Amino acid sequence: MTTKRIARYGLLIALALILSYLESLLPVFVAVPGVKMGLPNIVIMFALYSLGTKDAVIISLIRVVLAGAMFGNVFAILYSAAGAVLSLLVMALLLKTKRFGPIGVSVAGGVAHNVGQIIVAILVTETAQIVFYLPVLCISGIAAGVLIGIVSGIVIERLKIEDKR
Amino acid sequence: MKIRKADIVLVLVLLLVAAAAGIFMLAVRDTGGEAVVLRDGQEVLRLPLSEDAEEVITEGEDSNTVVIRDGTASVTQANCPDKVCVHTGEIRYEGQTIVCLPHKLVVKIEGGEEQSVDAVTQ
């Protein structure tokens, strides 16, 4: 692991954590748990496009653990780790097909995040009825995904990293 | 930044699927009769929605106040860190849930009346 890579991880993880914190301050404006903007996903999208899948996974998982420890609890970590892993998997696959732009990748990631969270919520509480939240969560996830996709697209375009290693 | 055709198709397909699933779930759910409180998937309390009631559910230091009023169930107070259960508000139809993940607590509506016009058109 080069010094450059360590510095880059540190910078991006710090940025993702600030966005997680900012998001935790935003008021819950819908009476459905789990509705979020997904601001940290801007950083993950940037890492995915500009650095690579492996780097995006590392940054995402460290962010989830640290953000959970600072602004949440063990359940928050479990909850968002499932969302983060599923969402990254889907985003990396869509990026590989080279058919989708940042908006498509981000929207699919947002919806996958919601699906992952719902699955964990069902397993933790052993209550299958939670699946009723999924349609509402998906629609909010799509809206948030489009916005995050637009912002990420602009950021990725403007911040070109020349040396990928 | 380019918007690809595949992006638009993906967004539209996902929206359609979510909307269809939402309409389907609205159509199949019934108005409920009882609020069931579960911890760790185990039933701890059962309250009929027809009678107003207020119950404090405690386990160690965890506490949630479940209130039944005017045929709806809600969690009005909780000492969990995120208060998602309190923000969820009132539930009344079968299958609706209030979840308090930190306390592993679920309030769900079960059984009761047949599907009514209100439940479908709401």
Side-chain angles (χ1 to χ4, degrees), chain A residues 76-131:
Chain A
I77 295 175
L78 192 70
Y79 208 42
S80 51
V85 167
L86 200 63
S87 131
L88 252 175
L89 198 77
V90 170
M91 291 201 292
L93 281 176
L94 251 63
L95 185 60
K96 279 244 162 68
T97 66
K98 296 200 195 311
R99 280 167 191 238
F100 298 92
I103 295 179
V105 173
S106 159
V107 164
V111 172
H113 195 100
N114 290 142
V115 171
Q117 284 188 321
I118 289 281
I119 291 172
V120 170
I122 289 174
L123 293 180
V124 168
T125 61
E126 293 173 29
T127 309
Q129 278 86 349
I130 297 174
V131 81

Side-chain angles (χ1 to χ4, degrees), chain B residues 87-99:
Chain B
H87 294 308
T88 304
E90 297 173 340
I91 57 171
R92 65 187 309 163
Y93 295 109
E94 173 159 22
Q96 277 189 313
T97 52
I98 297 174
V99 181

Side-chain angles (χ1 to χ4, degrees), chain A residues 2 8 15 19 25-26 47 53 59 65 83 85-86 95-96 103 105 107 109 118 120-122 129 135 149 156 161 165:
Chain A
T2 61
R8 209 170 262 165
L15 197 56
L19 291 175
L25 293 181
L26 293 176
T53 308
I59 291 167
V65 172
V85 167
L86 200 63
L95 185 60
K96 279 244 162 68
I103 295 179
V105 173
V107 164
I118 289 281
V120 170
I122 289 174
Q129 278 86 349
I156 292 159
I161 290 187
R165 285 173 300 116

